[in-house]
Amino acid sequence: MKQGYDCLVIGAGFAGAVAARELAERGGKRVLVLERRNHIGGNAYDLLDEAGVLIHQYGPHIFHTNDKRVFDYLSRFTRWRDYQHRVVANVHGKEMPVPFNLTSLELAFGKEKAAELEKKLLDTYGAEKKVTILELRQNSGPELAALADYVYENVFLHYTMKQWDQSPEEIDPATTARVPVFLSRDDRYFQDQYQGMPQEGYTALFQAMLDHPNITVEVNTDARARLTLPPEGGAPLLDGEAFHGFVVYTGAVDELFDCVYGRLPYRTLEFRFETHPVTFWQSHGTVNYTVSEPWTRITEFKYLTGQELPGKTTIAKELSHAYTGAPGETPYYAVINPENNALFGKYQAMAQSYDNFYLLGRLAEYKYYNMDAIAARALALCDALIKTGQVL
């Protein structure tokens, strides 16, 4: 087989790295990983900035999961720092936990009024429940409807408009469902069983995962310059020769086919990094700006990483824009709706015309996945490939 490889993995983020390790180690395959960027780790890549602060180059990544298999698997390649992510919203200068919860309720309305509203919420929905903001807005009770209007206006509406440039009603329900009102005093952003940050950082985790004698990684390599997909389908070509092994593609599926049907819409993010001569600059690792400022949130990385570095800290102001494909832009979030799903279906059908060719990941599958979910999908795909040679 071309260059002695059994498998080609395109992309060295979570999807590609987990797939490469599984195919190499458990499957005994010789794997070539091609990565367009100059580093491994995908959007989870972290590095020391000029001030010596460990930052997440492509925005904050906090690991959390209820999937024991995924947690145990990744634990082979890193030790974990116990970190429970807490986020506050800056609402007209007052900080309150998000998702909006019973603590937020008291901060917004005062103890006496909050106690009345809390009783109505718990009587209606039950304790420790998560109620979506859109669901709460539909409640017929006047007091809860007024609460819903407050949360909708001050926590959700403007933030969502900044993030998606759409009203909540225009966005796919699966996306808006991710923003709940939590009827609890648990201020953590996630309630998953396993939470934490890689103790030495994400890049070190990926280095350990890809460190296997059966894996060859080439960075600064655009797979489209090496991989040819004949218009009639069949076997892909690697460096001009037919490649009959598995191909796991984790990049943007529309760009794989030169956007022949048009570009799939995404939202991209702009990060404005600032280093300040203080030990900490804000109260939490993440502060959301839900009613003011052009940015959606500010991240201060030292809270996340636990790095001890007195007298200086780095923050990132995060702004959302439509993805255009311009140099330097990164597609982050698929804009899910029936029209865009239909467009994706055309590209998916093209990919399926090639032998042993598998789409895996956010960009390849045009879906939103958390890190643990994509690791789980990569493990499941490799289970099938190793066991049967094809996806069942």
Side-chain angles (χ1 to χ4, degrees):
M1 188 169 292
K2 177 67 177 177
Q3 297 182 345
Y5 297 112
D6 305 305
C7 302
L8 175 63
V9 174
I10 299 170
F14 264 105
V18 171
R21 181 71 184 219
E22 282 292 273
L23 292 169
E25 183 175 56
R26 193 154 57 97
K29 305 294 185 182
R30 295 159 297 178
V31 182
L32 173 63
V33 180
L34 301 181
E35 170 55 56
R36 181 166 60 180
R37 291 169 170 167
N38 65 357
H39 60 77
I40 61 175
N43 289 347
Y45 172 69
D46 52 19
L47 77 161
L48 294 175
D49 68 6
E50 293 182 357
V53 179
L54 182 62
I55 64 169
H56 296 181
Q57 185 70 46
Y58 304 96
H61 285 69
I62 294 93
F63 183 78
H64 58 99
T65 188
N66 286 316
D67 189 324
K68 188 176 187 301
R69 182 189 184 190
V70 167
F71 178 75
D72 288 345
Y73 184 81
L74 296 180
S75 296
R76 296 177 52 202
F77 309 109
T78 187
R79 292 174 296 168
W80 297 98
R81 171 182 178 256
D82 181 26
Y83 175 72
Q84 309 288 314
H85 194 45
R86 288 174 170 83
V87 179
V88 294
N90 184 306
V91 181
H92 302 296
K94 179 180 291 187
E95 292 185 349
M96 59 185 66
V98 288
F100 193 93
N101 64 9
L102 298 180
T103 303
S104 312
L105 187 69
E106 187 171 301
L107 289 168
F109 292 94
K111 290 186 177 181
E112 184 175 343
K113 182 63 175 178
E116 297 176 9
L117 292 170
E118 178 178 336
K119 184 176 187 307
K120 291 181 182 293
L121 285 165
L122 298 182
D123 288 346
T124 303
Y125 300 104
E128 304 298 318
K129 298 293 178 63
K130 292 184 176 181
V131 184
T132 66
I133 292 175
L134 296 184
E135 180 182 357
L136 190 60
R137 290 186 76 214
Q138 295 168 356
N139 189 284
S140 59
E143 288 190 294
L144 293 189
L147 167 62
D149 287 342
Y150 174 87
V151 177
Y152 182 79
E153 176 69 25
N154 291 284
V155 179
F156 188 52
L157 175 61
H158 303 291
Y159 186 90
T160 301
M161 291 288 290
K162 286 190 287 186
Q163 181 73 24
W164 294 98
D165 195 27
Q166 293 178 312
S167 70
E169 289 80 7
E170 294 175 299
I171 299 172
D172 178 63
T175 301
T176 55
R178 297 178 60 239
V179 186
V181 173
F182 191 22
L183 306 187
S184 171
R185 295 190 183 278
D186 184 345
D187 288 344
R188 296 176 302 163
Y189 196 74
F190 308 111
Q191 282 73 46
D192 302 61
Q193 182 177 358
Y194 307 103
Q195 301 187 42
M197 300 289 290
Q199 192 163 339
E200 304 300 325
Y202 283 102
T203 300
L205 182 159
F206 281 95
Q207 289 170 338
M209 193 184 306
L210 291 168
D211 183 13
H212 190 278
N214 283 350
I215 298 176
T216 300
V217 179
E218 297 183 14
V219 297
N220 289 314
T221 302
D222 191 334
R224 292 176 298 178
R226 306 274 301 274
L227 184 71
T228 303
L229 299 176
E232 68 275 10
L237 305 181
L238 177 61
D239 297 332
E241 296 183 13
F243 186 80
H244 298 289
F246 299 134
V247 178
V248 178
Y249 180 80
T250 73
V253 67
D254 55 346
E255 294 181 0
L256 175 65
F257 297 107
D258 297 319
C259 300
V260 64
Y261 295 119
R263 186 174 292 281
L264 283 167
Y266 287 92
R267 299 295 289 175
T268 188
L269 299 175
E270 172 192 350
F271 297 99
R272 298 178 182 175
F273 292 92
E274 300 175 1
T275 298
H276 295 276
V278 295
T279 300
F280 285 103
W281 190 84
Q282 62 185 20
S283 63
H284 290 70
T286 299
V287 177
N288 289 355
Y289 286 80
T290 57
V291 292
S292 64
E293 312 303 335
W295 45 83
T296 54
R297 60 182 178 177
I298 298 178
T299 296
E300 186 167 2
F301 297 100
K302 284 169 58 179
Y303 282 102
L304 279 57
T305 64
Q307 183 182 18
E308 295 183 5
L309 193 65
K312 52 185 172 181
T313 188
T314 298
I315 65 171
K317 297 176 179 178
E318 184 173 326
L319 298 93
S320 177
H321 308 288
Y323 176 69
T324 67
E329 285 188 349
T330 299
Y332 283 92
Y333 301 111
V335 181
I336 303 296
N337 59 40
E339 179 183 358
N340 295 343
N341 285 341
L343 178 57
F344 165 72
K346 294 182 179 181
Y347 289 115
Q348 183 182 41
M350 292 181 71
Q352 289 172 343
S353 71
Y354 297 98
D355 300 338
N356 301 316
F357 196 97
Y358 303 95
L359 300 178
L360 179 69
R362 277 190 182 192
L363 301 181
E365 299 180 67
Y366 200 65
K367 291 181 181 178
Y368 180 87
Y369 289 116
N370 284 328
M371 291 183 288
D372 65 321
I374 196 55
R377 286 192 62 80
L379 290 171
L381 172 63
C382 292
D383 287 344
L385 295 180
I386 293 166
K387 181 177 180 180
T388 68
Q390 61 183 1
V391 178
L392 297 176

